[in-house]
Amino acid sequence: MSSAGPAEAFTSREQAYLSSLPAVEHVTSGRIYYTEAFKKECVRRYHAGESASRIFEEAGMPSRLIGYKRIERSIARWSKSLPSTSGIEADALSAIGVPHTDSVSLHEVTACIRRIEQRLACIESRLGMQAGECSENEDTPIEGDDPGARLAPVDR
């Protein structure tokens, strides 16, 4: 389908290549069946603002191989049928200070984890369990901390 028109079938070579990708469950001459994990990751990343074609390209399926319309339609279909964040994941993220939205980016989760690690190091330092510096004022922002997303002060 590299000289792809939408009605063209995948060659046996293209089918073999696509079948070898972790994101692909199996392939027929005219259809790609994706893994559930890939579908969920696509929806999450797309709702976080990433380009659908870039997501597919990074998974080894550039639009010149599978067709841009296939990518667009897949994302649209999955967005309707799959939640971008499951209730369990949302509850877990909320418990660690990540606000619930329909999509949480990896960057947001990473930033939250970094804040939690810094806060933990500060607490451990105050308890004498670890050497290191920590401000005496818990409300002082920690390096890289987003004031709007800061964790609540620890009760003493």
Side-chain angles (χ1 to χ4, degrees):
M1 202 179 265
S2 40
S3 55
E8 293 182 43
F10 291 112
T11 66
S12 58
R13 185 175 180 192
E14 290 168 334
Q15 288 180 50
Y17 168 73
L18 290 168
S19 293
S20 74
L21 299 173
V24 175
E25 200 168 282
H26 71 278
V27 181
T28 66
S29 63
R31 186 164 177 198
I32 302 170
Y33 295 84
Y34 304 94
T35 64
E36 286 300 311
F38 178 70
K39 292 176 188 180
K40 289 176 183 177
E41 182 68 5
C42 279
V43 170
R44 186 193 64 74
R45 289 174 62 185
Y46 182 74
H47 286 209
E50 289 188 54
S51 157
S53 56
R54 181 177 178 164
I55 297 166
F56 274 75
E57 187 164 341
E58 288 176 0
M61 298 173 282
S63 60
R64 69 182 176 277
L65 172 63
I66 66 171
Y68 186 74
K69 276 293 183 194
R70 182 184 308 269
I71 294 170
E72 281 184 330
R73 289 179 182 148
S74 294
I75 292 285
R77 187 173 58 251
W78 301 337
S79 291
K80 289 178 185 175
S81 67
L82 296 172
S84 58
T85 305
S86 76
I88 294 171
E89 290 170 334
D91 291 345
L93 292 172
S94 178
I96 61 168
V98 177
H100 174 67
T101 62
D102 283 341
S103 62
V104 178
S105 73
L106 180 58
H107 175 74
E108 291 170 310
V109 173
T110 303
C112 182
I113 290 170
R114 187 177 341 124
R115 287 192 307 273
I116 292 169
E117 288 173 340
Q118 290 173 338
R119 183 61 55 123
L120 178 60
C122 178
I123 293 167
E124 287 175 341
S125 174
R126 287 184 185 156
L127 294 174
M129 300 168 104
Q130 173 180 331
E133 293 184 16
C134 181
S135 169
E136 287 300 314
N137 182 355
E138 285 185 343
D139 293 331
T140 301
I142 297 171
E143 179 184 336
D145 203 2
D146 176 4
R150 209 172 23 217
L151 298 174
V154 177
D155 291 331
R156 293 180 186 204

